Amino acid sequence: MPPTTAEERRRELIALYHEVRDCHRCPLGAVRTNAVFGMGNADADLMFVGEAPGAEEDRQGKPFVGRAGKLLDELLGRIGMERRRDAFIANVLKSRPPGNRNPEPEEIEACEPYLTRQIQLIEPAVICTLGNFATKLITGSPTGISRCCGKPQDRVVAGLPVTVYPLFHPAAALRTPAVLAQLREDFDRIPDLLHAAAERRTEQPDLALAGSGFPAGPSQLDLFGG
Ligand code: URA
């Protein structure tokens, strides 16, 4: 049964956090320091989905706290946003692959139900997928990030209508100046996409499926930062 009230959904998100923290669905559970559930504002219309925790994220239990995270914060700042207040940040994998290798298909499959549930509970209007792994998983398409970055797609994700906005991964932007320029340009369109999604929800209120969102008050889920 889907949760029917904001309080129920909030409780479910906290229960999910505890599940992820103790998860051993794949071998990464045995080698991580901390699971990285995600962090931010569970009421936010904007969600970012990255690939997997790196070394610093594994140490702190929080997403995007290394160099790529600093760039993400800088890009958010350019559009007048702040990660805790305006977005929820999660990853495809909740545990760090050793040596930051690519996620294996079995690891993605084992972790996918957590991301699906996060999306259902947070109900973002816009999901920015960062890099190839998040983009391919969320769009369900094999099209690589170089071909689809900066092109918003209206899709149903985890049963919800959302605008999926594929972006280059900030770590790739740190390596290649042309990628950074593209990421900056694409990032600057996020406010317009949020505005358009909000208008659509006002015109068709049934699009905001579970209704009222999380209760007012402290919705910055620092708990989910570790
Ligand atoms: N890269 C990611 O994809 N996610 C993180 O949390 C950190 C770096």
Side-chain angles (χ1 to χ4, degrees):
M1 276 273 289
T4 51
T5 67
E7 189 49 43
E8 265 176 42
R9 291 189 299 131
R10 191 179 183 81
R11 259 204 308 274
E12 279 200 32
L13 203 51
I14 290 169
L16 189 63
Y17 161 76
H18 288 291
E19 218 182 297
V20 167
R21 202 187 52 181
D22 299 334
C23 179
H24 288 277
R25 285 188 191 176
C26 81
L28 296 181
V31 293
R32 67 173 178 241
T33 310
N34 289 296
V36 179
F37 180 77
M39 69 181 292
N41 184 349
D43 289 329
D45 285 338
L46 177 62
M47 187 162 172
F48 289 91
V49 180
E51 182 177 313
E56 196 51 32
E57 289 78 18
D58 177 68
R59 203 176 65 74
Q60 295 191 32
K62 296 181 184 176
F64 282 98
V65 287
R67 284 182 67 224
K70 287 201 173 57
L71 175 57
L72 186 60
D73 287 339
E74 181 205 309
L75 293 165
L76 278 167
R78 273 164 64 88
I79 54 172
M81 291 188 167
E82 203 268 320
R83 70 156 77 189
R84 284 167 187 265
R85 187 187 61 205
D86 300 308
F88 194 92
I89 303 177
N91 280 306
V92 170
L93 293 192
K94 311 305 188 205
S95 301
R96 180 189 183 215
N100 296 347
R101 63 158 169 74
N102 285 341
E104 298 287 351
E106 308 79 51
E107 293 160 357
I108 295 174
E109 199 184 325
C111 231
E112 186 179 359
Y114 295 133
L115 182 60
T116 299
R117 198 70 192 122
Q118 285 178 310
I119 293 168
Q120 288 169 341
L121 291 168
I122 292 162
E123 295 183 278
V126 175
I127 299 179
C128 295
T129 54
L130 302 172
N132 260 322
F133 284 93
T135 300
K136 289 181 181 178
L137 181 68
I138 296 280
T139 62
S141 155
T143 304
I145 189 65
S146 309
R147 282 188 50 214
C148 65
C149 68
K151 297 180 185 148
Q153 309 174 16
D154 286 328
R155 287 191 177 264
V156 173
V157 178
L160 302 173
V162 290
T163 300
V164 178
Y165 191 42
L167 298 172
F168 277 120
H169 194 288
L174 287 172
R175 291 190 294 268
T176 311
V179 170
L180 177 58
Q182 184 69 56
L183 179 59
R184 285 214 165 101
E185 193 181 315
D186 293 343
F187 227 87
D188 290 348
R189 288 186 62 207
I190 291 175
D192 285 348
L193 294 178
L194 284 167
H195 189 69
E199 284 196 338
R200 263 204 314 278
R201 282 187 167 180
T202 310
E203 283 157 18
Q204 298 162 270
D206 52 331
L207 282 185
L209 289 181
S212 57
F214 283 79
S219 51
Q220 274 76 22
L221 297 174
D222 286 337
L223 169 64
F224 303 149

